[in-house]
Amino acid sequence: MRRAPLLLALAAVCAVAHVGGVLAAAPIWRGAEVLSLALLLAYAIAAGLPAPRWAVPAALVPLLIDAVRTMPAAEGPREYGWTRYEPLNRGVDVTGGFDAALTACWATLVAVAVLLVALRGGGRRRHLVAAAVAAAPIIGYAAVRIVDVGSVVVAATGSLIVEIHSRSSLERVDGAGVDRATTMATLLLVVLPPLALALGALALAVLLAGRGRRLAAAGAALLAVVALPLLDGSLSAASYSEGSTALFAWYAIAPTPAMPAPVAALTAAVELAAYLLIVAGLSGSERATMRGHRRYDGRSGR
């Protein structure tokens, strides 16, 4: 059992190395994130898997697969700069935005879903209230961003100037065939993956807190925070306009030559910290697990 803390410490060191590479746009070691998650899996096994024993490994496998898939190329440092491609039709690219959102968070969504299924059960009322309070600003932020970006898209498309060749003057054409309701619905589809991640992570935090796993519950709550920059990123991929209400977009912290990707690095740091907390909070001796269950059952009257 003495090797378990060492494995956790090594996983944290690799996570820091990965975040440093993202921040400087020059990976210290291209396999740092993969090794961090692999060490985290080894720690969970060494420290003791909670019941059901398949839950933590099954949750970490998609994260490992995604880390391998997104590992920086071997021929050189990974480029973390930002390139903007503006759609010619100045509309909403629902396919590009939805694909970008799903690509960014599918592994975390699967991991959260696995843990929700494995740990399903009722939570205490105060935990449910806390989750509802935390979910309200996230849903509100998503709604504000959809309205903001949608309004900019509709206004920009609706103010196109079309020259009428049969006349000697220019005529302003309002609307230009753009429907506001359709645009808003399209943007809602784009933000669904990160929004589902945020709400699923909060639900997981409720279940973990109800089982007395406060450290793991804190990690699940951090995953809800990770969903916010993913939400802004999906809207950025779907529309030429960032809007004026973005708080977690790539430019929220001004990039510099020394630190070209501060928001991306901060997002990676919070995400990896969440994984460390969840695994560390769930792994442990069977005695500690049973003690937590007895406390939970006693307070709930079962």
Side-chain angles (χ1 to χ4, degrees):
M1 286 295 182
R2 293 180 180 178
R3 63 181 177 178
L6 177 60
L7 291 171
L8 185 62
L10 290 175
V13 169
C14 290
V16 171
H18 173 70
V19 172
V22 175
L23 181 63
I28 298 172
W29 181 53
R30 58 189 297 262
E33 183 183 19
V34 176
L35 182 58
S36 176
L37 293 171
L39 288 170
L40 205 55
L41 177 57
Y43 162 78
I45 296 173
L49 294 171
R53 296 178 62 84
W54 54 266
V56 172
L60 287 174
V61 165
L63 301 178
L64 271 167
I65 293 174
D66 191 57
V68 172
R69 186 185 64 83
T70 59
M71 192 165 52
E75 58 269 15
R78 184 177 183 178
E79 296 293 336
Y80 289 95
W82 296 88
T83 303
R84 297 301 311 280
Y85 296 95
E86 184 171 326
L88 295 178
N89 62 359
R90 300 174 64 119
V92 176
D93 181 8
V94 60
T95 303
F98 185 79
D99 288 349
L102 197 58
T103 299
C105 64
W106 73 268
T108 311
L109 269 173
V110 172
V112 169
V114 167
L115 292 177
L116 282 173
V117 170
L119 304 175
R120 61 186 180 277
R124 299 187 64 193
R125 180 173 298 178
R126 64 187 180 92
H127 297 146
L128 294 173
V129 171
V133 171
I138 295 176
I139 297 174
Y141 180 70
V144 169
R145 294 289 291 126
I146 289 172
V147 172
D148 183 30
V149 175
S151 298
V152 173
V153 170
V154 172
T157 309
S159 62
L160 293 177
I161 303 299
V162 180
E163 183 175 0
I164 307 300
H165 294 286
S166 62
R167 301 179 183 178
S168 59
S169 61
L170 296 179
E171 181 178 332
R172 179 177 296 273
V173 179
D174 293 322
V178 176
D179 180 66
R180 180 181 295 271
T182 301
T183 301
M184 300 303 178
T186 300
L187 291 173
L188 175 61
L189 179 63
V190 169
V191 304
L192 274 183
L195 197 57
L197 173 60
L199 298 180
L202 290 175
L204 179 61
V206 169
L207 296 182
L208 292 171
R211 289 172 172 261
R213 299 289 192 173
R214 296 180 180 178
L215 195 63
L222 283 181
L223 287 181
V225 177
V226 171
L228 295 173
L230 296 180
L231 186 149
D232 278 343
S234 63
L235 288 175
S236 177
S239 171
Y240 74 96
S241 172
E242 297 284 356
S244 59
T245 55
L247 299 178
F248 304 93
W250 63 271
Y251 55 83
I253 303 175
T256 65
M259 297 184 299
V263 173
L266 185 59
T267 303
V270 175
E271 183 178 7
L272 290 175
Y275 298 152
L276 287 167
L277 289 174
I278 290 173
V279 175
L282 282 176
S283 304
S285 66
E286 187 67 22
R287 179 179 300 177
T289 303
M290 294 304 296
R291 186 164 57 246
H293 278 299
R294 282 197 297 269
R295 285 200 301 268
Y296 174 65
D297 292 342
R299 291 174 181 175
S300 62
R302 291 190 293 174

